[in-house]
Amino acid sequence: MDEPAQPVFSEYGYLMPPGPHKGSLCHIRLHFVEGTISPKYRAQLFILMEGVIHSFCELLHTDCVQIWIGGVFISNIPEPECTDLCIFISPDSFNNADKHARECISRFMHPSTDSTHTADCILQNMCCNVHVLIDETDDENPFYLVCQHAKAIMEEYYHWDKDHHPRGYFICNAEGIIEDDTRQTETAQ
């Protein structure tokens, strides 16, 4: 594996340039855990975040998910409070999941209707702010526009902080390899 370039940060500590960066979980660990002043706390956050990612993969029985990792964790701020994670699931992975898995995942897609407050519990117990979206790519599907709108909202959320300072975020997949611009094809389960 090639050594990833050192990240560049803005005056506010955010990854530059703003917007998506291609990376791997290994790249993120190298620069945002091991390459920091306070790696112990960041290491704990990273391990918890990896656990959340792998739990979703086990729930879906696939590693074919796209992951966005952003927020203050992807900065040079010494002790971020949590990690921000958005998991994009293909419609086939969602539809092929068992009933329990679909119900669990739906809680993240519709948090206002989740009486168990699953996302809040993960944030409190695992310091990981989790969002889940269906990654519909078929523009003939009636839900395509809704999915694209939700993705645009997440892009805005990951691209700007609450004070409207621009920031970068990483796109990778659950296997930890660098996500490229081509779609992955899922193998039959």
Side-chain angles (χ1 to χ4, degrees):
M1 181 173 143
D2 293 336
E3 180 68 26
Q6 280 294 116
V8 176
F9 299 101
S10 71
E11 64 184 290
Y12 302 104
Y14 296 123
L15 180 65
M16 295 304 283
H21 293 248
K22 305 297 181 184
S24 67
L25 291 175
C26 181
H27 179 194
I28 293 165
R29 181 181 46 77
L30 284 172
H31 288 300
F32 298 98
V33 176
E34 295 171 8
T36 65
I37 295 169
S38 55
K40 183 178 179 184
Y41 183 71
R42 280 178 165 271
Q44 292 169 341
L45 287 177
F46 186 81
I47 289 167
L48 291 170
M49 179 184 68
E50 275 189 315
V52 170
I53 291 169
H54 292 297
S55 294
F56 274 94
C57 291
E58 287 176 13
L59 189 64
L60 291 165
H61 303 290
T62 183
D63 285 346
C64 294
V65 296
Q66 186 182 77
I67 312 278
W68 289 8
I69 301 170
V72 178
F73 188 78
I74 303 299
S75 73
N76 66 1
I77 297 167
E79 293 191 12
E81 293 179 12
C82 67
T83 56
D84 277 301
L85 185 65
C86 187
I87 301 172
F88 289 88
I89 301 170
S90 75
D92 288 343
S93 292
F94 182 77
N95 293 333
N96 292 334
D98 63 39
K99 181 181 177 185
H100 168 74
R102 287 192 310 273
E103 287 174 359
C104 182
I105 291 165
S106 292
R107 293 178 190 149
F108 291 90
M109 293 189 292
H110 309 286
S112 61
T113 62
D114 178 18
S115 62
T116 62
H117 307 288
T118 308
D120 291 337
C121 290
I122 289 175
L123 179 59
Q124 289 175 354
N125 296 318
M126 301 186 78
C127 303
C128 191
N129 189 16
V130 181
H131 304 276
V132 178
L133 297 175
I134 299 294
D135 193 16
E136 180 59 67
T137 57
D138 179 7
D139 60 0
E140 299 294 320
N141 186 304
F143 295 107
Y144 174 78
L145 291 177
V146 172
C147 293
Q148 293 304 307
H149 180 69
K151 190 173 189 176
I153 290 170
M154 290 312 302
E155 285 175 339
E156 186 77 11
Y157 174 72
Y158 276 74
H159 190 94
W160 304 99
D161 76 356
K162 63 181 167 102
D163 296 320
H164 213 65
H165 298 123
R167 58 188 178 182
Y169 57 94
F170 275 94
I171 297 176
C172 62
N173 63 35
E175 296 166 329
I177 59 174
I178 294 174
E179 184 72 31
D180 63 15
D181 293 326
T182 60
R183 300 291 313 164
Q184 293 181 13
T185 56
E186 289 189 31
T187 57
Q189 296 180 12

